[in-house]
Each structure stands twice: as C-alpha cells, then as structure tokens.
Amino acid sequence: MKRLLRKLVSLYDRVGRYGDDPREPAGARKMNELYNKGWFFIFGAVFSNLVATLAIVALMMTTDLIPFDRTVLVRIAKAYVGVEAAACLLMLAVFFSGRRLFLSPAGPIAAVTVVFSYYFTLALFAGKDAGIHYILFQFFPMSLMMNTRSRTVKLVFLLYMVVVTVLAFYLTNIFPPLYPLPGTVIDIIFYMVVFFLVTYTLVALYFTIWHLNYIDVLVGTWKKLTDLGNQHYATEEGVKGNRISNQLFLLAMLVSVVNFIAATAMIIKSVNIDFERNIYYTVLFYPAWVFGFCTLAVSYYLKNRRGRNLPYELVSIAVLAAIFIFYSIVAGSGAGVHYMFSFFVVIPLFINTESGWMKAGLAGLFLAVFLVMMSAHFEGLYPFPGELERRMRSVSLAVVVAMFALASVITWVRFDVTARVLRLWDRLTERGFHLFASESEKRLRKIQSSVMLVFLAATVFCLLVQVGLVVHMWYVLKIDAGYVMSAVVYYGPSTVAMISVLLVALYFQEKTRTILPAICAFIPAVAWHFFMGISLSHGTLFSYFKIVMLPIPFIALDRRLKYQRVLIFTAILMILVSLAAEVAFHFRSAPLFPIPEQYTFPTAVSVILALTISLIVMSYYFYKQTAYAEISLAKEKAKSDMLLLNVLPLEVADELKSRGASRPSRIENVTVLFADFHGFHALAECMTPEELIDELDLCFTKFDKIIERHGLEKLKTMGPAYMCAAGAPRGNRSTARDCVDAAVEMIAFMKEMKRNKAANGERYWDARIGLNTGPVVAGVIGNRKFVYDIWGDTVNVASRMMTTGLPGKINISRSTYNEVRQYYKCRYRGKVLAKNKGRLDQYHVQVRA
C-alpha cells in the first residue's frame, strides 16, 4: 500500500512538471503546473468511474444481489464501459500529444470538450435520478484555470459549459433514461456523485487557495475596489464615507449572487418536481436578478467615476427594495423572502450623507414596509411546493442573519468598536477611583461597577428578548391582543425599573466611598430575579440562573472588614433563600404569568447556555485575579530582591532572608580598592551643589559598571571616596588581578574625561587609587538599615595607599604587588611614610597613557 501511494505521489509530481520550461516566467510555469494537476485529478475521476462501473457489472454478473436480465445487462455494460473507456483514451491521447495539442491553446479545448461530453452522455444514459448532471456544475472553474491567457477563449468555454449544463438538466427531465438501471445501482451512483462533488470541491479549494494564492488576491482586490473613487474627496471623512459606500455596494452585489445561487438551486429542485409548471420561475426570477445586479454594478461604477455617492445609493436601494418586494409577491409570504427586507431598515445608516433626518426617514419608511409585509399573509402568484417553501424560508432567514453578521463585523472593524467599548468600560468601571488611595480599594470598586455593568447588559438583553417575544406572538403566532398587551404591562415595567436602578447605582458610584450603591443594586436584582422566576414556568429554568449570583458577594466585597464579611454571608443567604422560595413556589403553585408553551424549551436552553457561559467567565475571572495577584506578588518580590541586592551581596542577602540574620566572618585573602578625586574640595567651591552631584554621579555610575564587569563588590561611597573589594564576600572568586584590571579602567576613564574637559576649557578632576591585599572581617552588624562592610588592618592600609598615592596613578602595597607582578609591570616607589602606619613599601602600576 505504501509503495502504491509513493508511486501515485511520484506520478502526481511528474505530471505537474510535464512540459515545464525553465526559460518561461514563474507565473506561466505555475499555471502550467496547475493545468497539469487539474487534468490529473479529472482523469483520475473518469478512470475511477470506469473501475466502479466494471465492479458493479461484475457484481451483477456473478451474484444475484441485484437481479437483472443478462442480455440487457450486457448491452448496458457495453454502453457505459464504452463511454468511460473512450473518455479515458481520449484524455490520455490529448495528454501524450505533447506540445502539439496538450500544451497548446487547443489542449484545454479538447480536455473540456471530452469531460463535458462524457458526463453529458452519462447523464442521458442514467437519467435524472442518478444526479450525474449535477457534476457539470463543478467544472465551471475550469474556464478560469485553463492554460491560456485569452479571456475570449475562457468566456466562450464558460458559455459552452452553461449551455451543455442547462441542456443536460432539460433533457434529463424531459426524456426517460436511455439505459435505465436498477434502483439499487441508481442509489450507489447517487452516493458516488455526492462523494465526487465533495471531493472535487475540496480539490478546487486546494488549487485556488494553495496554488493560485487567492487569499492575497481577494484581499488586494477587495481593498482596491473599496478605495475606488477616493481621489474625488479631499478630507478624511469624505474618503471614509466613500469606502463605506463602496463596501455597501460590494456586499449588496455579493448578497445578490448568493440569492441567485439559492434561487437557482430552488428552481432546479422545483423543476424536477413539476417541470411544466415551475419552469416559469426562470422567466420570473432571472430577469429581475440581472436587472438588480446590473443596477448595482453600473451605480457603483458611475459613483466612483463622478464622486457622487448619495444619488446612486438611493437609486440602488430603491431598485433592490422593489426587486425584493417583487420576489415576495411572486413566492408568497410562506417563502420568507420578505424577511430579507429587515436589512433595508439598517442600510440607511450606511449611506454617505450627514443628514440624520434623511437616514431616519428612510429607515422609518423601510421599517413600515417591513412591518406591513410581516403582518400581511399572501399566497403568492407562483408559490413554491410545500417542502421547498419551508427550505426557501430557512434560506431567507440564513441570508438575513449572514447579512446582519457581515454588516456588523464590517461596522465593528471600520469604527474600531472594540477599543471604544473597552474605553467606555474602563471609564464606567473606574467611577469613584479618585475617592480611594489604595490599589485594593480601587480594585474592589472596579469589581462592583463591573458586576453592575454585566447585570445591566443582561437586563437590557432580557428587555430586548421580551420585545422580540411580543412581536413574534403578535405577528407570527397571532395570539390574542389582550394577552399580548397583558404580557407587555406585566413584564415591561419591572424590567425597565431594574435597568433604571442599575443606572442610578452606577451614577452614585462616583459620589460616595461607601458600598451603598452596590447594596442598592444587589437587593433589587435579587428581588427582580425572584419576581421573574415565579412569573415564568418552572420549565424555563429561570430560577436556577440565580446560581450565577452566588460568587458575586465574595469578589465584590472586602473580607478584611468585619461588617462586609457579615454582608457577604447575608447576601449569600438571601440568594439561597430566594432560590429555595422560587423552587417551593413552583411545587405548590402555578406560575403567575407563564409564556406560551412553545417558548419554554428555547428559554430553558438559553438559561443553561447563559449559566454555563457565566460560570466559565467567572472561573476565568477568578483564575485571572489569582494569576494577577501571583504576578503582582512576584513583581514586588523581584523589586524587593533587587533593592536588597543593591545594598547587600547575594550570599548575605540570601542568608538574611532564610535565617533573619547574618554573622560577620573572616576572609583570608581580600583586595580592597579605594579611589578618590584629587583637588575635589578646591574644585567643589567653584561648583553649585547640583553640578557637583551630577559630576559625582557620572563618575560613580561608570565605576559601578566597571567593577560589575570584573566581579568586584561595591561597599560604599564616602563623599568623593569610592570603596570596593575583590574576594568578598566568602566564596567570591575575584582576585587581586581583577581589582587591578578595574583600577586600570577607572584611570583610563578619568583620563578620557580630563582630555575632553581640557579641550573645552573646563575644570577637571584627577583620580588616585590605592589597593591592598590581606585578611578582613566582612558582614552585617545591627538589625536595622543593613549595610555590608569589611573591617581590619587591610582596609586601613588600602586607605593609606590611596592618600599617599599620586593623581592619575594606581598605588599598591607589597602584598598586592606579590599577587599581580606576573601580570603587570610595576615601579617600586620605595618606603613611603603613611599616617599611623610608618613607612610602607609602595608600587605604581604601569598604565599606558
């Protein structure tokens, strides 16, 4: 099996490269590959039909599962196998003809002619019940994929395909099959046709998306079409209005095409049911569709050429409205075509005019027409058969929903509604932030306002559902007007009152620090929910939606305050008591005002769905809050650790965090570095305090970077003096050499700074650095304002090395000299007198100028 698959893949690749010429452009080579692979799949389909026919004939000849007369069977086998074998041989002959036919413009003509003739003949052989004529629709894209640049050839063959397809549908419905087959075989062929249609559709999508990269092409084409006519407008608002107008026209044309496809499918089905009567649908629907589509296309072209949107928009809307009214009158109200008129109520909002009165007037006019068409019940001049009428109604509803969804998405993206909603959400949920200082109090206020907003949105949605139910009961179910008005009076005021309470509570969120607005919103919400629960039947499951409210007190109140802890348990108890009371009420009494029975199950499904979504959202919210707290805690810990490491070495900081204290310890080999600025006090008298601090900060910041690079530990600064060490704390592997390397970089930096200041005529400092190596005691003493420090004679000698050194020099003691003499050249200074230390051996490290 694997070998067979590998051979098929290899053959597929070889066929794709057949006739490939490296000298041709990449686009031509790609089209040649596409044409070759398309031929391969079509030949595979014809060849598989031949194999399937041979298998069915063999099954009928060798078994009695499908009884059939042998003589007739042989005649049928000859006809079907002969046609299929001839089609395979002709396609192979076209392929192997090479450049003389297959790779010339005549190749597509021959291939398409063979394919259409083959399926046309099979459709006449098997009759309409086999459905073979439906396959002809799948080959329409072949006119676009043919390996020729001539649009005329493609258009001619598209017309040829349309004629052959229409002729096949006409003949199969008029005449009986030439070679009728048993019902079982017809069923097998029908399922094979369905399989082939699905497979060919997937293959066509593969070719168009993968090989032709139609996604980028479609995006680019859409952008180009929506930007047409922008040159006529000088302002951004004018350009934006023109783009929206173009999108409106393009969507209308797209919907017209979808309607054409749906109507064509319905007409084909109805013609199959009753050809003589329903063939008139083609005369009624197609001219109206062509007129409407051409009106849209011409208006789109003229408005972008002249830069006047409004007149052409109004003409197009009027023409489309007239066509949909015509469709509704022809098909009748049962087909649901008039549902599409609801979209015309929204269209005036998108027309390119600033006149709100014009938009409102057109929307009101279309709304009135829509309501009249909804309330009237008319049979239609040529109604569809019963089953098709129900399908037409479903298709109409689907198209309306798709149009509204598409318009909503475009509007949402065009006006950046997401950002606007988020800004509005933040503005509403952050009401009263100025009254609080701590972040925890602000977060609780944001949660309270968010809960109010969510419940407000849910209540508004409930009000809209109530309006929809009333309209549906009045226009569709034709329920008594008294009951409908009673439902409006019963449910409407309570829902409107709940919305008003929530709006008032949100308003007072900005006026007070207390939780009074939240309480005033929560108690009416429980009461309204209880009222709705006992009014509706238990089958709607509305009572159980109160479960969503249980976590709200926990997340909206502060558990650290005693009185709010009491409120938390009180609110939870109120919800549980309300829920128990509703359930008990339904077991003992009938609902106060139940809705019609047909609404019970959809309402229950909606409640379960809303309950599930709400619990998922709350779970995610809890997770997000927990994660936010953990992230905030981790950030604060990182900040505190960074602050601690800026004061103490890592080992000492870890010891303090783990044990709460750090004992000083002796370190045997530490090199201490002191640096200060010669003439600092004299120069400081000529500088302002701000200039002095800026100069010190510049130098010490550079010193910090240098010692960090060499692994030294900064200890402290004392006025103009800078102190660091190598080898401390314990376990630190820095050596005297690292310390001298750092000192060399410090001197180089100061000399560079000196040259720059001297060139600008500014005063400058000279640095002097002293080093000493030896044992020290290092650690932290005391229990407040921890400072890491080192003590011992080694530190004192290092300080003397600095004070007895010369400006721009690195002065080191004998102990340090012994550590670095193999790495640096040093000049012996002799024994130099040091304060309180007598005469000490000192050395200057030789540094390049």
Side-chain angles (χ1 to χ4, degrees):
M1 188 66 181
K2 291 182 179 179
R3 292 181 61 187
L4 178 61
L5 290 175
R6 282 198 295 267
K7 287 185 177 181
L8 286 175
V9 172
S10 175
L11 179 62
Y12 176 74
D13 291 336
R14 289 172 60 189
V15 170
R17 294 192 302 270
Y18 182 70
D20 187 29
D21 189 352
R23 295 171 296 179
E24 293 183 349
R29 295 174 63 188
K30 192 170 185 179
M31 285 301 300
N32 180 68
E33 179 186 3
L34 176 64
Y35 172 61
N36 292 347
K37 291 182 177 179
W39 175 91
F40 180 83
F41 276 106
I42 294 173
F43 175 78
V46 176
F47 185 74
S48 63
N49 290 342
L50 175 60
V51 174
T53 302
L54 292 174
I56 292 174
V57 170
L59 181 67
M60 296 174 67
M61 292 286 290
T62 56
T63 67
D64 294 331
L65 295 177
I66 307 175
F68 209 69
D69 184 76
R70 291 294 181 93
T71 305
V72 178
L73 180 60
V74 171
R75 184 168 58 88
I76 291 176
K78 288 180 179 180
Y80 283 94
V81 174
V83 170
E84 291 165 352
C88 289
L89 292 175
L90 287 173
M91 294 189 71
L92 285 174
V94 170
F95 178 74
F96 286 113
S97 63
R99 292 192 172 276
R100 288 179 296 177
L101 182 62
F102 183 73
L103 297 176
S104 67
I109 298 174
V112 172
T113 304
V114 170
V115 171
F116 265 76
S117 301
Y118 162 69
Y119 280 106
F120 179 78
T121 306
L122 282 186
L124 295 181
F125 281 1
K128 67 175 184 178
D129 292 334
I132 296 176
H133 49 292
Y134 290 108
I135 297 178
L136 295 173
F137 280 116
Q138 296 291 317
F139 293 101
F140 279 17
M142 287 180 62
S143 62
L144 302 176
M145 297 165 57
M146 288 195 303
N147 192 17
T148 176
R149 295 181 181 180
S150 174
R151 295 182 179 178
T152 304
V153 172
K154 293 183 178 182
L155 180 60
V156 168
F157 264 86
L158 178 62
L159 294 176
Y160 162 73
M161 295 175 190
V162 172
V163 170
V164 173
T165 304
V166 172
L167 188 63
F169 273 89
Y170 183 82
L171 294 178
T172 52
N173 280 277
I174 293 295
F175 298 106
L178 299 179
Y179 295 95
L181 298 169
T184 305
V185 177
I186 290 294
D187 292 338
I188 295 173
I189 294 176
F190 179 78
Y191 288 120
M192 289 176 60
V193 167
V194 173
F195 173 77
F196 181 76
L197 291 177
V198 173
T199 304
Y200 189 86
T201 302
L202 294 176
V203 171
L205 289 174
Y206 164 74
F207 279 138
T208 53
I209 294 175
W210 183 262
H211 281 277
L212 293 182
N213 198 18
Y214 271 7
I215 294 179
D216 293 341
V217 174
L218 289 175
V219 171
T221 304
W222 175 264
K223 190 176 184 305
K224 189 181 297 183
L225 292 175
T226 55
D227 287 340
L228 281 178
N230 286 349
Q231 69 274 8
H232 298 295
Y233 304 93
T235 64
E236 183 62 29
E237 288 298 322
V239 171
K240 189 175 182 180
N242 182 64
R243 284 175 179 162
I244 295 175
S245 174
N246 286 343
Q247 290 174 355
L248 189 67
F249 272 93
L250 292 173
L251 288 177
M253 286 189 279
L254 178 62
V255 171
S256 297
V257 173
V258 173
N259 286 336
F260 169 75
I261 295 173
T264 301
M266 292 295 173
I267 290 171
I268 291 172
K269 192 68 177 176
S270 60
V271 166
N272 285 339
I273 294 174
D274 189 343
F275 180 82
E276 296 294 339
R277 170 178 169 79
N278 298 329
I279 191 63
Y280 294 105
Y281 286 131
T282 57
V283 180
L284 293 171
F285 282 100
Y286 286 168
W289 177 85
V290 171
F291 177 70
F293 187 84
C294 292
T295 301
L296 287 171
V298 171
S299 299
Y300 171 79
Y301 170 76
L302 292 177
K303 87 174 190 63
N304 286 314
R305 184 172 182 179
R306 301 183 180 183
R308 296 174 59 202
N309 289 338
L310 185 59
Y312 298 107
E313 288 175 349
L314 296 178
V315 169
S316 300
I317 293 173
V319 170
L320 287 178
I323 289 174
F324 276 107
I325 292 175
F326 170 74
Y327 283 165
S328 300
I329 293 174
V330 171
S333 58
V337 179
H338 56 293
Y339 295 158
M340 298 185 189
F341 214 83
S342 61
F343 193 67
F344 284 86
V345 181
V346 183
I347 287 180
L349 301 177
F350 296 92
I351 62 176
N352 194 21
T353 178
E354 298 296 327
S355 174
W357 290 105
M358 178 176 289
K359 293 182 179 181
L362 285 174
L365 175 63
F366 287 132
L367 178 61
V369 174
F370 173 68
L371 293 177
V372 169
M373 295 177 69
M374 287 290 294
S375 60
H377 183 74
F378 43 92
E379 292 295 332
L381 300 178
Y382 294 94
F384 283 98
E387 179 63 27
L388 290 180
E389 191 175 63
R390 288 191 291 272
R391 293 185 183 180
M392 190 71 177
R393 185 164 59 248
S394 301
V395 170
S396 300
L397 286 173
V399 171
V400 169
V401 171
M403 287 193 298
F404 274 105
L406 195 57
S408 301
V409 169
I410 291 176
T411 306
W412 193 279
V413 174
R414 175 61 61 190
F415 295 103
D416 199 10
V417 178
T418 301
R420 297 188 182 193
V421 169
L422 290 177
R423 287 196 296 268
L424 177 63
W425 180 273
D426 290 336
R427 189 165 65 248
L428 293 177
T429 55
E430 292 175 0
R431 296 177 67 88
F433 265 30
H434 63 282
L435 303 174
F436 302 97
S438 67
E439 289 296 324
S440 61
E441 291 176 324
K442 290 181 179 179
R443 188 167 67 251
L444 284 172
R445 175 53 60 96
K446 189 177 182 69
I447 292 172
Q448 294 166 8
S449 300
S450 299
V451 171
M452 290 184 198
L453 275 177
V454 170
F455 201 82
L456 176 63
T459 312
V460 171
F461 177 74
C462 186
L463 180 63
L464 295 176
V465 171
Q466 291 175 9
V467 173
L469 290 178
V470 167
V471 172
H472 193 264
M473 286 189 293
W474 176 262
Y475 285 106
V476 179
L477 299 183
K478 306 297 182 182
I479 294 178
D480 180 64
Y483 175 84
V484 174
M485 290 304 299
S486 300
V488 172
V489 173
Y490 186 86
Y491 285 106
S494 62
T495 308
V496 173
M498 186 66 244
I499 294 174
S500 303
V501 167
L502 290 170
L503 290 173
V504 171
L506 274 173
Y507 171 77
F508 280 103
Q509 282 286 87
E510 196 173 15
K511 306 296 182 182
T512 177
R513 285 173 50 93
T514 66
I515 60 171
L516 187 61
I519 296 174
C520 292
F522 179 79
I523 295 176
V526 176
W528 177 78
H529 207 289
F530 177 79
F531 168 77
M532 294 291 292
I534 63 176
S535 299
L536 298 170
S537 62
H538 188 63
T540 60
L541 303 179
F542 196 87
S543 303
Y544 298 102
F545 192 74
K546 203 180 272 85
I547 296 173
V548 177
M549 302 177 70
L550 284 173
I552 292 176
F554 283 104
I555 64 175
L557 298 175
D558 192 349
R559 293 184 293 276
R560 296 172 296 180
L561 302 176
K562 184 176 180 180
Y563 80 97
Q564 293 200 19
R565 289 202 300 270
V566 174
L567 287 176
I568 290 173
F569 291 110
T570 303
I572 293 172
L573 183 62
M574 184 185 300
I575 296 171
L576 293 175
V577 170
S578 172
L579 179 60
E582 287 182 42
V583 175
F585 176 85
H586 284 297
F587 276 108
R588 296 172 60 90
S589 307
L592 299 180
F593 201 106
I595 58 177
E597 185 67 27
Q598 52 265 49
Y599 296 130
T600 301
F601 180 73
T603 304
V605 173
S606 302
V607 168
I608 293 174
L609 183 62
L611 184 62
T612 304
I613 294 174
S614 301
L615 291 177
I616 291 174
V617 170
M618 285 192 174
S619 300
Y620 174 73
Y621 181 80
F622 287 141
Y623 162 75
K624 190 174 180 180
Q625 288 295 313
T626 304
Y628 174 77
E630 291 177 351
I631 292 172
S632 300
L633 185 62
K635 288 182 178 178
E636 294 300 324
K637 183 178 181 299
K639 289 180 182 178
S640 63
D641 288 346
M642 184 61 66
L643 184 61
L644 193 60
L645 290 175
N646 279 334
V647 178
L648 302 174
L650 177 62
E651 295 84 350
V652 178
D654 290 341
E655 187 177 2
L656 279 173
K657 287 190 293 183
S658 60
R659 299 169 58 181
S662 176
R663 294 179 60 83
S665 60
R666 180 181 175 87
I667 306 174
E668 294 298 332
N669 189 23
V670 174
T671 301
V672 183
L673 180 151
F674 277 93
D676 80 341
F677 303 111
H678 180 68
F680 171 79
H681 296 289
L683 191 57
E685 294 177 357
C686 305
M687 304 173 67
T688 63
E690 291 80 6
E691 292 173 340
L692 183 65
I693 293 299
D694 289 341
E695 287 291 319
L696 285 176
D697 181 66
L698 175 63
C699 296
F700 287 167
T701 301
K702 181 64 176 180
F703 289 177
D704 289 342
K705 294 179 180 178
I706 292 172
I707 69 166
E708 182 180 3
R709 188 161 56 248
H710 291 281
L712 277 61
E713 185 68 36
K714 179 182 178 181
L715 298 174
K716 55 187 172 183
T717 60
M718 299 155 288
Y722 187 92
M723 179 182 176
C724 61
R730 51 193 171 300
N732 194 314
R733 295 185 178 181
S734 295
T735 63
R737 181 185 176 186
D738 296 322
C739 210
V740 175
D741 290 342
V744 170
E745 287 195 35
M746 291 178 181
I747 291 296
F749 166 72
M750 294 305 298
K751 287 183 177 180
E752 179 68 24
M753 189 175 177
K754 174 182 176 180
R755 283 194 295 269
N756 294 336
K757 286 185 174 293
N760 295 328
E762 301 176 0
R763 297 186 179 186
Y764 52 83
W765 293 334
D766 270 325
R768 54 184 183 179
I769 300 177
L771 292 87
N772 182 41
T773 303
V776 299
V777 174
V780 176
I781 58 175
N783 56 10
R784 296 190 64 189
K785 294 186 177 180
F786 298 124
V787 175
Y788 180 76
D789 207 348
I790 57 176
W791 303 272
D793 189 62
T794 302
V795 180
N796 297 330
V797 173
S799 177
R800 298 298 179 266
M801 291 296 109
M802 176 195 70
T803 55
T804 57
L806 298 177
K809 299 293 184 180
I810 302 172
N811 198 33
I812 63 176
S813 65
R814 174 172 287 278
S815 59
T816 305
Y817 169 74
N818 292 333
E819 295 281 343
V820 301
R821 62 184 178 182
Q822 56 181 332
Y823 306 110
Y824 282 97
K825 291 182 179 181
C826 300
R827 182 175 62 83
Y828 180 59
R829 298 182 63 197
K831 290 184 178 294
V832 180
L833 180 63
K835 183 179 179 182
N836 298 329
K837 288 297 185 182
R839 294 185 176 275
L840 300 174
D841 291 322
Q842 298 186 14
Y843 299 82
H844 275 162
V845 178
Q846 298 296 311
V847 181
R848 294 179 183 176

